[in-house]
């Protein structure tokens, strides 16, 4: 399996490191409009040249809205989106993680949680039970989302921030 990371900045390099540690990918390359290096093999707009059955792609943009837009563009082109979960993360088998998400080391995703596409659960972030993260959410290192919360699209929870219980309550 090959992984094409769109964007070779800091987030892209972290994603490459995590992807390598999963053991899922034999090749990891970047597409970037400005960066150079042996692993940068084209511009972002070249993504369709690399579309094939054994290739997954991930848009590694820190900007939540831009990441959502790229994931939509890739999905519309029927490109497979990567779901990258570090081996040291705890992800409950009773949770749902969409393709196009990255779960970093020591993150916790508890039971009943639904994480939609284009989300980042960063180092040591915690999502307690029965939460919903709409597409494009980013939990920065050490962020905590208490149980039964529903974060709107493109929400950023900063490092050390705690989203209190019922802050964004799921409506039943």
């Amino acid at each position: 399996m090959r992984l094409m990371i769109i964007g070779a900045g800091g987030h892209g390099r972290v994603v490459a490191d995590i992807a390598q540690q999963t053991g899922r990918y034999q090749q990891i390359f970047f597409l970037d409009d400005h960066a150079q290096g042996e692993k940068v093999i084209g511009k972002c707009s070249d993504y369709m040249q690399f579309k094939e059955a054994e290739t997954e792609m991930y848009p590694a943009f820190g900007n939540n809205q831009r990441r959502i837009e790229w994931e939509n563009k890739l999905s519309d082109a029927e490109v497979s989106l990567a779901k990258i979960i570090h081996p040291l993360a705890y992800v409950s088998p009773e949770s749902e993680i969409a393709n196009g998400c990255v779960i970093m080391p020591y993150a916790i995703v508890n039971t009943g949680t639904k994480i939609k596409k284009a989300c980042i659960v960063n180092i040591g972030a915690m999502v307690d039970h029965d939460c919903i993260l709409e597409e494009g959410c980013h939990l920065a290192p050490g962020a905590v989302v208490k149980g039964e919360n529903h974060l709107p699209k493109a929400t950023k929870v900063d490092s050390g921030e705690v989203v209190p219980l019922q802050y964004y309550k799921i409506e039943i």
Side-chain angles (χ1 to χ4, degrees):
M1 181 69 65
R2 176 174 66 178
L3 176 64
M4 299 299 299
I5 300 171
I6 302 170
H11 181 51
R13 292 191 318 274
V14 169
V15 168
D17 181 57
I18 292 170
Q20 183 178 11
Q21 292 178 55
T22 68
R24 176 173 169 79
Y25 303 99
Q26 289 72 47
Q27 298 177 310
I28 300 172
F29 294 106
F30 294 95
L31 299 175
D32 194 283
D33 293 343
H34 306 289
Q36 296 179 351
E38 69 179 68
K39 295 275 188 178
V40 179
I41 60 174
K43 299 213 174 285
C44 297
S45 60
D46 297 334
Y47 69 96
M48 285 301 289
Q49 295 175 25
F50 302 98
K51 177 186 170 185
E52 60 182 52
E54 290 299 309
T55 297
E56 294 179 342
M57 296 189 192
Y58 176 80
F61 301 112
N63 179 290
N64 294 344
Q65 192 58 46
R66 188 169 182 209
R67 194 171 56 256
I68 292 167
E69 290 166 4
W70 265 95
E71 287 205 10
N72 289 338
K73 182 188 299 192
L74 294 170
S75 293
D76 289 347
E78 298 181 353
V79 171
S80 296
L81 291 171
K83 175 178 15 177
I84 303 167
I85 300 173
H86 193 280
L88 293 177
Y90 171 73
V91 176
S92 169
E94 300 299 321
S95 66
E96 296 175 24
I97 312 291
N99 289 344
C101 292
V102 172
I103 312 295
M104 297 195 184
Y106 304 108
I108 296 172
V109 178
N110 220 335
T111 191
T113 290
K114 294 180 179 147
I115 299 180
K116 298 188 181 176
K117 73 179 181 180
C119 289
I120 300 168
V121 180
N122 218 313
I123 299 165
M126 292 183 254
V127 186
D128 202 1
H129 66 89
D130 302 308
C131 290
I132 297 174
L133 276 61
E134 294 294 341
E135 64 182 28
C137 289
H138 177 188
L139 306 185
V144 177
V145 180
K146 290 187 174 185
E148 300 180 356
N149 275 296
H150 187 165
L151 300 187
K153 178 179 178 179
T155 298
K156 169 126 189 235
V157 181
D158 216 343
S159 293
E161 187 177 346
V162 177
V163 178
L165 186 60
Q166 300 181 10
Y167 183 72
Y168 296 107
K169 181 71 172 156
I170 298 171
E171 306 227 0
I172 299 176

